[in-house]
Amino acid sequence: MSRSYNDELQYLDKIDKNCWRIKKGFVPNMQVEGVFYVNESLEKLMFEELRNACKGGGFGGFLPAMKQIGNVAALPGIVHKSIGLPDCHSGYGFAIGNMAAFDMSDPNAVVSPGGVGFDINCGVRLLRTNLDEGDVQPVKEQLAQALFDHIPVGVGSKGVIPMTAKDLEEALEMGVDWSLREGYAWAEDKEHCEEYGRMLQADPNKVSSKAKKRGLPQLGTLGAGNHYAEIQVVDEIYNDYAAKKMGIDHKGQVCVMIHSGSRGLGHQVATDALVAMEKAMKRDKIQVNDRQLACARIFSEEGQDYLKGMAAAGNYAWVNRSSMTFLTRQAFAKVFTTTPDDLDMHVIYDVSHNIAKVEEHMVDGKQKTLLLHRKGSTRAFPPHHPLIPVDYQLTGQPVLIGGTMGTCSYVLTGTEQGMTETFGTTCHGAVRLYYTSVALLHLSVALLHLSVALLHLSVALLHLCRFTAPESYKNVCDVVNTCHDAGISKKAIKLRPIAVIKG
């Protein structure tokens, strides 16, 4: 029997102005508590979602985010807490913006594809340049068109990077090392990638032929949905020291942000794994609150097959972003009739938003080996952490937070407090107000076209842009400010878009 909204509230406690606790009992079988980070305006959205669900409101077949955080807290082997970041919203199984860690010494601990998402290693890469806004404004349309001409976009787009079946196998195994070998990346690009652009446990043999068939023609393509390549300028610098370490030294400096993932290949890897895991759950008698949380024990054959296939899809995504970096550098060099090196087009950092990784963390005063699921959330390691580049040892890891068409983006840095509270995890960007995009029903077509005109937006299918217009998203400033105020990451740089290409 479902509970009323008021009944649900007895399981929710406000810890402080930026954090709420979800107590055991909110959903059945919770092993740990849940928490979620919000400010005042985001809090209203989270509770409105719960209230609508209690009234029978629909979310396209998905549960409200709070319920999903609770259901994740009921998974076998979870430790610490099930954590919702400020951009948390309904997703498949896990909420998007949900982080959870599983104790790898627990034989019952599980891995769940719903805790990674279908777009494996969807992520963001930020390039700097030595150009100023004044250099770009006179050629803005030309530059946007050059990017559009160089980078294939849209549903079903095909890449221009030559790729044979043998190349694909090697790319799945090698990640950015393949891009380096083939001349599509600079040596220092690898240093500024999460995992150095390569997950070593990747096994191309665990990626189905169907997934490979989908991925073969798509390397170096942006795709559709909320993916984009955006020309941005530095709007605010909050931390001069951290910004200078990233090669950002003044307002108005031009950067490029690339947001994409593993395309159809990653989607197929997730789909294949979900089918296998449903069988494993019956065999091993694994009980979950939501069938979308299909999972397998980490060291089961199905669990290991998924992790190896997921790592290969992650490597594919890094090669994809590296390929688009190569094409972006070519586009800029063509417009400004110089070389990418002379334009100082270095990678500041590349982060993943959808991944599961093995990491060492402290749990109740003891060091544990954990499997971290980060879905719609970003790794944010603090200063002096051994897994971040030498360049950022004193600043903490750069964290790239993408906005949406027409809104600002941010660079944050990781903190020690975040390491303690969220296992070094923070938000990932602006997200849809509702999974079903209810907000879009009220979006004026005239306003959309005005936004496009103001941004000099190049798009493959203009009418699809309404699904990623700013009005349908949570405010990225609210999301970032919540993380900053809660201390789980700190603001370093704010960027605003001046041109964007989308699929």
Side-chain angles (χ1 to χ4, degrees), residues 10 37 71 98 145 177 179 223 434 439 443 451 457 474 481:
Q10 66 179 307
Y37 292 86
N71 285 338
N98 194 177
Q145 189 61 50
D177 287 335
S179 301
Y434 296 103
L443 180 61
S451 297
L457 177 69
K474 286 184 179 179
N481 287 334

Side-chain angles (χ1 to χ4, degrees), residues 412-435:
L412 314 179
T413 52
T415 66
E416 285 292 348
Q417 185 176 340
M419 203 67 181
T420 302
E421 291 187 18
T422 65
F423 292 140
T425 308
T426 192
C427 64
H428 85 300
V431 293
R432 288 188 180 92
L433 286 169
Y434 296 103
Y435 195 90

Side-chain angles (χ1 to χ4, degrees), residues 79-80 361-368 370 423:
V79 296
H80 189 50
H361 290 277
M362 300 300 291
V363 181
D364 299 327
K366 296 179 182 178
Q367 184 167 319
K368 293 267 191 182
L370 306 177
F423 292 140

Side-chain angles (χ1 to χ4, degrees), residues 6 21 41 66-67 87 92 99 113 119 166 204 213 221 243 273 275 284 297 299 314 316 339 363 384 404 441 497:
N6 286 333
R21 176 190 294 115
S41 60
M66 273 192 241
K67 288 289 185 182
D87 44 359
Y92 185 92
M99 188 285 296
D119 192 0
K166 182 173 180 289
K213 185 177 180 180
T221 64
V275 173
D284 295 333
R297 289 174 180 160
F299 290 104
Y316 178 96
T339 66
V363 181
H384 313 300
T404 66
L441 297 176

Side-chain angles (χ1 to χ4, degrees), residues 392-407:
Y392 303 131
Q393 280 292 308
L394 298 180
T395 64
Q397 177 206 311
V399 180
L400 311 177
I401 307 300
T404 66
M405 181 181 71
T407 67

